[in-house]
Amino acid sequence: MAKSDIYLTGVERSFGIDEIIVSKTDTKGRIIYANEVFLRMAGYSEAEILNQPHSIIRHPDMPRCVFKLLWDTIETGKEIFAYVKNRAKNGDHYWVLAHVTPTFDKAGNIVSYHSNRRSPRREAIEKAEGLYKQLLAIEQGHDDRKKGMEAAFQAVVATLQNAGVPYDEFVFSL
């Protein structure tokens, strides 16, 4: 079944506040490790998920500009925190507070990315959801997908500049 064929159930999954979803990807974003919590929440077996693009769990409610910001940050060797709405294999969804970090070899080259995801606070999800709806509307307001994503990305940059905080501080203020 193609990713685009997955039905959205509207059912939200949750995981324990003491649980951590862990995954690791290569530098192209293909999954090279997923822990049991990841597999359970995403609804995939290890055989189904390994070597697949991490975007296999991307929910269509997530604005692409958030992932542009994430990739732009981690590719420079910095860590990032972000609220993300993911889609399980069966169409359910689940929210996470993701902490994504690059992994370096002895020469200082990025060789992979590591992500730990925790269960977010409900109030933060509501705030993130409101912002993401605005960003998604900007993205979808353009005929050209790339121009839409860039316009939404500029809206994020402007929001951060107006707030006078870096992205991580903004995320923790939600």
Side-chain angles (χ1 to χ4, degrees):
M1 178 183 306
K3 182 180 163 193
S4 59
D5 296 334
I6 296 175
Y7 173 74
L8 297 177
T9 64
V11 174
E12 184 171 357
R13 294 179 174 201
S14 61
F15 58 105
I17 59 170
D18 59 335
E19 292 185 296
I20 300 174
I21 296 173
V22 180
S23 62
K24 201 169 187 178
T25 69
D26 64 16
T27 56
K28 300 291 185 198
R30 291 181 299 260
I31 299 169
I32 57 176
Y33 171 79
N35 74 347
E36 290 298 322
V37 183
F38 179 106
L39 298 173
R40 184 181 81 238
M41 292 302 295
Y44 288 95
S45 70
E46 186 177 53
E48 290 174 307
I49 206 76
L50 290 182
N51 298 311
Q52 294 299 313
H54 209 283
S55 61
I56 194 170
I57 62 169
R58 183 180 174 275
H59 195 284
D61 287 352
M62 281 299 300
R64 292 171 53 237
C65 66
V66 171
F67 295 109
K68 174 181 173 21
L69 177 64
L70 184 145
W71 278 103
D72 287 355
T73 302
I74 63 175
E75 286 178 337
T76 65
K78 297 177 184 165
E79 66 182 350
I80 192 167
F81 291 86
Y83 288 98
V84 180
K85 184 178 186 179
N86 290 320
R87 175 170 57 184
K89 181 180 176 182
N90 74 343
D92 291 354
H93 67 275
Y94 56 100
W95 280 92
V96 299
L97 172 56
H99 177 213
V100 186
T101 60
T103 304
F104 301 92
D105 65 13
K106 290 180 182 178
N109 300 306
I110 297 172
V111 294
S112 62
Y113 299 104
H114 182 236
S115 180
N116 290 329
R117 273 102 61 211
R118 296 190 178 275
S119 184
R121 294 181 349 275
R122 179 56 47 192
E123 312 82 57
I125 291 172
E126 291 168 6
K127 291 176 183 176
E129 205 163 28
L131 172 63
Y132 290 174
K133 283 180 184 176
Q134 293 171 12
L135 295 173
L136 201 56
I138 293 169
E139 287 183 359
Q140 294 171 344
H142 290 75
D143 291 334
D144 181 303
R145 282 176 40 100
K146 191 170 185 175
K147 287 182 182 175
M149 185 195 47
E150 188 56 41
F153 182 78
Q154 292 306 321
V156 170
V157 170
T159 298
L160 296 174
Q161 287 175 341
N162 290 339
V165 296
Y167 185 75
D168 286 351
E169 274 186 49
F170 176 75
V171 166
F172 289 122
S173 73
L174 296 180

